[in-house]
Structures are given as C-alpha cells and as structure tokens.
Amino acid sequence: MEETNQTVVSEFIFQGLCNSRELQIFLLLPFSTLYLMTVVGNIFVVILIITDHHLHSPMYFLLANLSFVDFCLSSVTTPKMITDLVKDIKTISFGGCMSQILCVHFFGGGEMVLLVTMAYDRYVAICRPLHYTSIMDRQKCIWLVLISWIIGFVHAMSQLILILELPFCGPRVIDSFFCDIPLVMKLACMNTDTLGIVINADSGVLATTCFILLLISYTYILITVQLHSKDVSSKALSTCTSHIIVVVLFFGPCIFIYLWPVSIMWVDKFLAVFYTVITPLLNPAIYTLRNKDIKNAIKKFKDHK
C-alpha cells in the first residue's frame, strides 16, 4: 500500500522501561511509592509556605512555585508509566502523545527559567542586601514567576507546532515510557534531520541560556560570600549549595538527552526517569533538609496538629 502524507497513526505503542515482565512488576511498588512521595512532598511544601507567615518572602514564594512545577512535571509522565507496568500492550493516543510533549516542555522550560529567577533572588539577597526588599518586591516576584510560565509555554508551543504537522504512517512503536520529541520524530514518514537540528537548537538555546545565567549568578554569589564574615558566608553558602544541587540534578540529564550527539537508549531511559521521577522528589527533600526556616515551620506544623 502506498504511504500518504497524512497522519494515519491514531495511537503509539510504548516499549516501556524494559522487556522483562517480572522486572516491570517488581518496579511497580518502588515507582508508585516514589510518585506518592513526590506528590505529598511537593504539595506539603506549597501548603506549608502558604500557611506559615514566616515563609512569606520572595525566596519561599519562588520555592513554592518550584514545588508546584515539580508536582506537575512528574504527573505528566509517571502515572501513565506506573499503570503501563502491569500492561502487556502499552498504548497512548496520538492526542495523548502530543499532550505529553506539550506538557513536558511547558513545565520543563518553565522550571529552567524559574531556577534562574531563584538564582537572581539569591544574588540580590547576598550581593545587594540593603536593596533586597525594594528590588524583590511582591509585584516583581509575581511578574518573574509569570515570565517563567510564559517562556515555558512559548517554548512548548514552538516544539509542538514543529512536530504536529509531521506525517506519521507507521511504524508506531516508541522505545521509551513517554512521548519524547527525538523518539517520536524517528517515526515520521519523512526525513527529519533538518527539523531535528531546529528542535534541538530551540531546546538548546533555552537550556544553554538559562545555564549560563545560573553560572554567572552563582559565580558572583560565591565571590561575594568570600568577602563576608564567616557566619554570613556559611548561611549564604548553605542556601546556594541547595540551589546548585537542584540545578545540576535538573540540567544534567536534560543537556545529555537533548544536546549529546550520541544516543544510548538505556542511558536516555535512565536519565528520563531521573528528571521526571527522581528530581521532582529530591527538590523538596534538598530544600527542607538543608533549610532552617522550613524545618522550624514543619516543627510548628506538627505542634499545631
């Protein structure tokens, strides 16, 4: 039968994390537990910051938004992956696949910009402490968060528009547990080399720009910290260390998957699991375990109950 330049594929089939049925059943409980902990951890951080007046500062306002984005990012792919672990045939509709691509890039792109905003907040707090309240006022914080959502949405739409018009006429098997652009493009009934360069450049520009801005911010912060007294510098360094850990955990897998020229499937799957399942869980843990104000708020929350 002659292939047409129309989207005749109505659904895609995931190969999942592995081929072993026994291993998939074994992974069901750990991944379900991780996702539950991610949801509870991130939502708890958001509620804690909203309800505790001592946490009504720009840093914690941004942290609450980060926790919400992490909850959303994890929820795009993880519930589907968990339910697919017990299925022999793991299918997703064409619309569902495109929705996953849109949401992953929306929340992922938004989180990149939000991490830059958090670095800027720490830069102002440490490098220009006397002007902090005037620079990081409530209105500016809201605008910075809105900008992160807008950039994430524009980035996601630009990715989706490029891939939505591709003709898919088979095969329809995706060697992963969710719809990722590089893997979906391989299934198109046309040469996508040029399009792949454009899409990677789109993601690459956003990721690289954010990463460079983060490096500049934390370089300035670390230089300033060295000039302060020991008590001030240790507190600032503790806060910045948490931020830097989160940045490395988030950007590392993204840069490797989208910008690394050689694709190794099991490595890509591991990194995809890491930034969609593990990182959203680690973020609240890193901030709560290392942050004195958050720990005090948790203690008060327990005492109040």
Side-chain angles (χ1 to χ4, degrees):
M1 184 183 292
E2 188 178 338
E3 292 180 348
T4 63
N5 285 330
Q6 294 179 348
T7 305
V8 293
V9 170
S10 60
E11 64 179 17
F12 295 100
I13 299 170
F14 292 137
Q15 284 196 345
L17 288 172
C18 58
N19 296 322
S20 169
R21 175 74 175 168
E22 292 76 16
L23 183 57
Q24 288 185 66
I25 298 298
F26 173 77
L27 291 173
L28 183 63
L29 182 60
F31 278 123
S32 299
T33 306
L34 286 172
Y35 179 63
L36 182 62
M37 289 169 67
T38 300
V39 172
V40 172
N42 282 294
I43 295 299
F44 178 70
V45 169
V46 173
I47 292 170
L48 193 68
I49 290 169
I50 290 170
T51 55
D52 194 311
H53 294 292
H54 294 96
L55 301 178
H56 288 185
S57 67
M59 183 175 83
Y60 296 112
F61 174 70
L62 297 173
L63 176 57
N65 277 277
L66 179 68
S67 290
F68 179 70
V69 172
D70 277 330
F71 159 70
C72 294
L73 182 61
S74 182
S75 298
V76 172
T77 58
T78 311
K80 170 70 176 164
M81 179 191 70
I82 291 168
T83 55
D84 280 348
L85 287 171
V86 295
K87 294 180 182 177
D88 290 324
I89 301 174
K90 309 165 182 34
T91 60
I92 186 169
S93 66
F94 181 84
C97 184
M98 295 302 115
S99 297
Q100 274 196 340
I101 288 171
L102 177 70
C103 291
V104 165
H105 285 268
F106 175 39
F107 295 121
E111 181 159 340
M112 286 182 188
V113 182
L114 192 58
L115 288 169
V116 174
T117 303
M118 293 176 78
Y120 173 70
D121 171 70
R122 290 302 84 205
Y123 161 75
V124 176
I126 295 164
C127 300
R128 301 185 65 186
L130 298 177
H131 302 94
Y132 181 71
T133 51
S134 61
I135 294 173
M136 293 300 292
D137 57 33
R138 183 179 179 83
Q139 190 176 13
K140 188 166 188 179
C141 287
I142 292 168
W143 269 109
L144 286 169
V145 169
L146 278 174
I147 287 167
S148 73
W149 285 99
I150 291 166
I151 291 174
F153 181 73
V154 171
H155 165 67
M157 286 303 296
S158 67
Q159 298 275 290
L160 185 67
I161 288 167
L162 288 170
I163 203 167
L164 202 57
E165 296 302 315
L166 288 176
F168 295 99
C169 34
R172 57 196 180 110
V173 178
I174 298 172
D175 190 8
S176 185
F177 61 92
F178 75 103
C179 285
D180 204 5
I181 285 182
L183 299 175
V184 173
M185 275 200 310
K186 289 180 181 178
L187 305 182
C189 309
M190 61 176 282
N191 187 292
T192 57
D193 291 345
T194 305
L195 184 63
I197 293 168
V198 172
I199 285 176
N200 283 340
D202 186 344
S203 295
V205 166
L206 179 63
T208 307
T209 303
C210 289
F211 197 64
I212 289 169
L213 290 172
L214 286 163
L215 286 176
I216 293 168
S217 296
Y218 287 118
T219 301
Y220 268 103
I221 289 168
L222 293 172
I223 291 168
T224 306
V225 162
Q226 294 298 316
L227 305 174
H228 277 88
S229 65
K230 192 176 180 182
D231 290 339
V232 175
S233 63
S234 63
K235 185 180 179 182
L237 199 60
S238 175
T239 304
C240 289
T241 303
S242 300
H243 286 232
I244 291 166
I245 291 169
V246 169
V247 166
V248 170
L249 290 174
F250 184 78
F251 277 87
C254 289
I255 289 170
F256 192 91
I257 289 172
Y258 290 101
L259 300 180
W260 199 256
V262 180
S263 178
I264 305 167
M265 191 48 64
W266 71 268
V267 175
D268 287 352
K269 282 185 183 181
F270 171 78
L271 291 173
V273 168
F274 196 85
Y275 83 79
T276 58
V277 181
I278 309 297
T279 304
L281 171 63
L282 289 177
N283 284 0
I286 289 166
Y287 283 109
T288 53
L289 292 174
R290 296 182 61 88
N291 190 292
K292 189 178 178 181
D293 293 334
I294 293 280
K295 284 191 278 190
N296 288 338
I298 292 170
K299 189 179 178 183
K300 281 199 296 182
F301 183 80
K302 286 178 180 178
D303 293 341
H304 183 69
K305 286 187 74 178

